[in-house]
Amino acid sequence: MYRTIQQQLQARIQAILQQKYEVTLAQFAVEQPPAIAMGELALPVAFELAKRLRKAPRAIATELAAELNASLSELPLVASVEIAGAGYLNVRLDRAAVVREIAADRHADIGGPGFKLVEHTSINPNKAAHIGHLRNAILGDTFQRLLRSDAYKSGYQVGVQNYIDNTGVQVADVVVGLMHLEGKTLAGTRELMNDLASRNHRIDFYCWDLYARVSQWYTGGVDDATPPEPAELARRKQVRLDTLHAIEHGGNEAAEIAELISTAIVRRHLETMQRLGIEYDFLPRESEVLHLHFWDAGRQLMLEKGVLYLETEGKNKGCYVMRRAGNESEAPADGAPDEDAKVIVRSNGTVTYVGKDIAYHLWKFGLLPGKDFGYQPFYTYADERICWISTSGESAPNAPTFGRADAIYNVIDSRQNDPQNNVIAALRGMGFTDAADHYTHFSYEMVAMTPRCAIDLGYQLTDEDRQRPFIEVSGRKGYGVKADDLMDKLIAAALAEVDARHPELPAAEREQIARQIGIGALRYFMLRYTRNTVIAFDFKDALSFEGETGPYVQYAIVRAANIFRKDGSTPQAALQAVQSIDLSALSGDDGTSVWETWLLASRLSLLIEQAIATAEPAYLARYAFQLAQQFNNFYHKHHVLNEQDPAKKTLYLATAAVAMREMTRALAYLGIESPPVM
RNA sequence: GGGCGAGUAGCUCAAUUGGAUAGAGCACCGGCCUUCUAAGCCGGGGGUUGUGGGUUCGAUCCCCGCCUCGCCCA
């Protein structure tokens, strides 16, 4: 509702500016005054106009206030407009009228046409998911929820992809471990998987350790009694390279083991993410990008569009290269080679990662001629939703397609800034400016560990590392907190609390509530930081259920629900009743704290809009906390069930109802469930 | 060496993208459970926003220099 009022004010002011001064402002801010006593909305528009009109801000504000006050009939929810400070226009709302609008759940809509593709998670399928992957998946999943159409907003059509690099060097390393460290064949690998499954062990955990061992084996690590000879190290490097090439080509034992193991781990990743309420629509795989020859079509198109050319001189002689972003104007005027150009195809004919990525992104926008994946069902969720996977064979009859997006969001950490910019530059260079403009690298900083946390986990740190602000998670070293381990810990901690508080509940119910709380804490923890903040992970912070956490908000909802349970009434009835009672209790000191709760509760659509526009889910997380704080404030100030004045009691009940409604919604966008009791 | 990001309370982070008195959580100190759940609430201390300049009605935010840290590239 707050958004609607902002829009109405903006429209009205635009009309006045046009009519009175013949100026139009493309955009101007509508803020909130520092204190509610000064009104509900503040317009600094007079400052903006001071330069253009060569007039003092306060004089302009005076004229605008007069115009606005004279036409209040156009703004049914505004009570008055006054001038404050050096030229602010402060707007007071008709509290009763606004409350009735909010109670009736009238709010601005969000959404529009178009298909938006969100890609997130994209974990190398060679080891267990860790806390860094959790941040990625939780950010992506939350953003997807903000975009998608639902009961609250029209939203957009959304597809969620999880890219699987199943032919990369990381998978090859695990295959090297299985074949050369453990001497396993394809049959032996099958046996291992069956054995792990029968003992309820996780294959991704097994590979976590194996991957760390292989990484050390390459550099002559712990498995050797004496350091290996240089010739032996060279042989190991060659084994790695040969395995990688074998997997890329396919049709051999290494490739089959890679397929077997990576698919099993992908399945495990889906299970891990499902615990967090995260689901996917499609898993495009690197193997299909290769086997379906996406790059051939991409290269053809790049050559036609003139962004790819054969370098004939200098250090990149014999390579196909692309000029770097921003260098178009500095093209080699004197015919000298552009040494700064990005190599796309090496002189030996192999394609770089960026090259494959350009082709893949052309496909995402439906710009790759004649190429599409085959689609087969891979995983079915509880609600019958199907997760599809790419295949180079025939598609299943009822398969959807996922290319042809109007906008894409790639949730990838900030270390991939350069490669992502290269892809965008390629699209722009090819003349696909619309695609380039709608390509969002949803960049975020990594999750690291505090040195303290790493030591607690038993990792050997150098003295230098101990002095660092944080230690990077490293699959290669085996450093990191596994996603499933962390969830287990959080749920166990929550269960201990629930057991103590609600021994009367059946065990299954207590476990369900503990799961909701543990996951709520985790998702909130990953969302409360803005994207370009490095999270230095520590168990103490992550395991907290107090203060600015998910459980704090969940608890506020439970408190609100308890009011209705004890009262024997429903939130719906309370909101309905607001339409017909006297709302004079909204004014005065007492009423103001009630009114502030309504006002804050009415901002959800505004916050969703901002979170989408800035690709910053943290704004919504913060909002959920602030609303819960505001509600707790109200809860302690006004004892609802003891209220003797019937009109006041009805208003208070409705206040609890509206806060509960919006907190529950906000949490749902964050992917956090609201437990019935806690 | 080049590119990107960051530096705000003891600690971890915000600041509606240039607005009014820079706000939260944690930690610390003090108070509040016979009331709708204390996973909560109230109060307190704690700041030259790394540093030096500039832009303007107004700068934590924008521009330039310097210092420190992280990441990426070579």
Side-chain angles (χ1 to χ4, degrees), chain A residues 624-642:
Chain A
F625 172 67
Q626 284 170 348
L627 184 55
Q629 223 176 13
Q630 177 67 42
F631 172 74
N632 273 329
N633 196 293
F634 160 81
Y635 181 89
H636 282 273
K637 208 164 189 168
H638 306 281
H639 199 284
V640 178
L641 298 184
N642 278 0

Side-chain angles (χ1 to χ4, degrees), chain A residues 73-351:
Chain A
S73 56
E74 309 265 328
L75 297 165
L77 300 173
V78 173
S80 66
V81 179
E82 57 200 59
I83 306 140
Y88 281 98
L89 284 172
N90 284 353
V91 178
R92 282 177 205 284
L93 297 178
D94 177 340
R95 295 181 176 185
V98 174
V99 160
R100 292 198 175 97
E101 290 287 301
I102 299 168
D105 203 10
R106 276 191 275 277
H107 55 80
D109 193 25
I110 297 159
F115 178 52
K116 299 189 187 266
L117 208 49
V118 179
E119 180 168 290
H120 66 79
T121 307
S122 306
I123 310 170
N124 277 310
N126 74 325
K127 61 179 177 303
H130 60 61
I131 46 176
H133 303 125
L134 281 178
R135 188 180 196 181
N136 183 305
I138 291 169
L139 278 170
D141 181 62
T142 301
F143 195 67
Q144 169 271 132
R145 288 167 192 261
L146 292 172
L147 289 174
R148 194 175 284 279
S149 70
D150 57 37
Y152 183 73
K153 54 179 161 49
S154 308
Y156 305 89
Q157 214 194 321
V158 176
V160 180
Q161 292 193 171
N162 174 3
Y163 185 82
I164 311 294
D165 182 4
N166 59 340
T167 61
V169 69
Q170 296 211 22
V171 170
D173 285 345
V174 167
V175 173
V176 167
L178 289 166
M179 294 178 77
H180 298 269
L181 261 59
E182 306 193 333
K184 285 192 170 54
T185 57
L186 178 60
T189 304
R190 281 216 181 85
E191 220 168 277
L192 167 72
M193 288 170 60
N194 288 335
D195 179 52
L196 288 172
S198 70
R199 290 186 293 133
N200 227 1
H201 284 202
R202 292 159 164 162
I203 179 73
D204 54 335
F205 279 37
Y206 183 89
C207 290
W208 174 283
D209 296 331
L210 183 57
Y211 178 49
R213 268 175 65 206
V214 173
S215 298
Q216 291 191 330
W217 185 67
Y218 290 140
T219 54
V222 290
D223 275 11
D224 300 290
T226 54
E229 299 291 320
E232 168 61 12
L233 286 181
R235 187 189 71 84
R236 294 177 184 180
K237 290 265 162 62
Q238 193 57 45
V239 166
R240 182 190 209 189
L241 213 58
D242 292 345
T243 307
L244 180 61
H245 288 152
I247 293 170
E248 279 179 4
H249 278 102
N252 53 62
E253 186 161 49
E256 285 189 59
I257 292 177
E259 162 74 17
L260 187 65
I261 214 84
S262 66
T263 302
I265 292 177
V266 165
R267 210 170 277 278
R268 275 262 51 241
H269 289 163
L270 295 196
E271 288 163 3
T272 299
M273 294 308 167
Q274 204 177 350
R275 296 179 75 188
L276 290 149
I278 298 173
E279 301 183 349
Y280 308 89
D281 297 311
F282 181 44
L283 311 177
R285 290 188 297 186
E286 175 100 347
S287 53
E288 273 70 57
V289 172
L290 292 178
H291 298 152
L292 295 169
H293 305 291
F294 274 33
W295 166 242
D296 290 349
R299 178 180 55 199
Q300 188 61 33
L301 198 56
M302 287 177 80
L303 287 168
E304 279 170 21
K305 300 283 183 182
V307 295
L308 194 67
Y309 64 94
L310 182 64
E311 183 57 80
T312 54
E313 297 294 332
K315 63 170 184 179
N316 293 334
K317 185 175 177 182
C319 298
Y320 280 90
V321 300
M322 183 181 84
R323 261 188 285 284
R324 281 186 186 274
N327 279 13
E328 288 81 355
S329 55
E330 301 168 28
D334 54 356
D338 180 3
E339 297 280 291
D340 207 32
K342 180 74 196 167
V343 174
I344 303 295
V345 182
R346 301 185 191 94
S347 53
N348 67 6
T350 58
V351 193

Side-chain angles (χ1 to χ4, degrees), chain A residues 494-495 497-505 509-510 512-518 520-521 544-546 549-562 565 667 672-678:
Chain A
L495 186 60
E497 287 288 329
V498 177
D499 284 347
R501 288 158 195 252
H502 299 285
E504 78 285 358
L505 292 176
E509 202 170 320
R510 291 200 304 268
Q512 165 74 351
I513 292 166
R515 193 190 59 78
Q516 292 174 324
I517 294 168
S544 171
F545 297 153
E546 289 168 16
T549 65
Y552 177 97
V553 186
Q554 291 173 319
Y555 188 66
I557 292 170
V558 167
R559 282 177 144 182
N562 280 341
R565 197 166 40 77
L667 283 192
I672 299 175
E673 295 176 27
S674 306
V677 293
M678 60 187 281

Side-chain angles (χ1 to χ4, degrees), chain A residues 585-595 637-638 643 648 652:
Chain A
L586 283 167
S587 49
D589 276 356
D590 245 25
T592 293
S593 81
V594 178
W595 164 237
K637 208 164 189 168
H638 306 281
E643 179 56 51
K648 272 191 182 171
Y652 292 168

Side-chain angles (χ1 to χ4, degrees), chain A residues 439-512:
Chain A
Y439 185 126
T440 302
H441 174 203
F442 195 111
S443 173
Y444 65 95
E445 278 288 350
M446 62 182 168
V447 182
M449 297 175 288
T450 60
R452 166 102 227 141
C453 176
I455 291 165
D456 286 350
L457 287 166
Y459 303 135
Q460 300 293 320
L461 298 190
T462 62
D463 287 344
E464 195 188 350
D465 277 346
R466 284 167 195 267
Q467 300 306 317
R468 289 170 173 273
F470 47 77
I471 309 294
E472 204 171 334
V473 170
S474 166
R476 211 167 288 274
K477 290 180 183 165
Y479 286 5
V481 179
K482 297 187 195 76
D484 283 302
D485 283 347
L486 178 58
M487 281 188 267
D488 292 344
K489 253 188 159 146
L490 279 158
I491 293 168
L495 186 60
E497 287 288 329
V498 177
D499 284 347
R501 288 158 195 252
H502 299 285
E504 78 285 358
L505 292 176
E509 202 170 320
R510 291 200 304 268
E511 278 164 25
Q512 165 74 351

